[in-house]
Amino acid sequence: MKINGKNELFEAITLLEYLTKHQYNPDYVVIERNREIIRKEQFGKIFLDDGDEINILHFMGGG
């Protein structure tokens, strides 16, 4: 599986579990899975698969 362009291996995990494990705040990210935007309501229902390509975009504040 590729996440943000890097190959990763792990057991079955949901998008929400992955985000929590890697300290992303689900309220401030946009997830693209296999070229489709995933709605936040689906993060806890979608399991990551071996062939997935995931892009995580997170918002940062600052000036």
Side-chain angles (χ1 to χ4, degrees), residues 32-48:
E32 180 189 56
R33 177 181 179 227
N34 303 326
R35 298 183 181 226
E36 286 187 37
I37 300 297
I38 304 298
R39 294 176 39 189
K40 289 184 190 329
E41 299 85 29
Q42 298 297 312
F43 288 178
K45 298 175 184 175
I46 293 178
F47 281 84
L48 300 175

Side-chain angles (χ1 to χ4, degrees), residues 18-30:
Y18 180 88
L19 293 173
T20 302
K21 181 177 179 179
H22 291 87
Q23 300 178 342
Y24 287 101
N25 183 334
D27 292 332
Y28 298 105
V29 298
V30 173

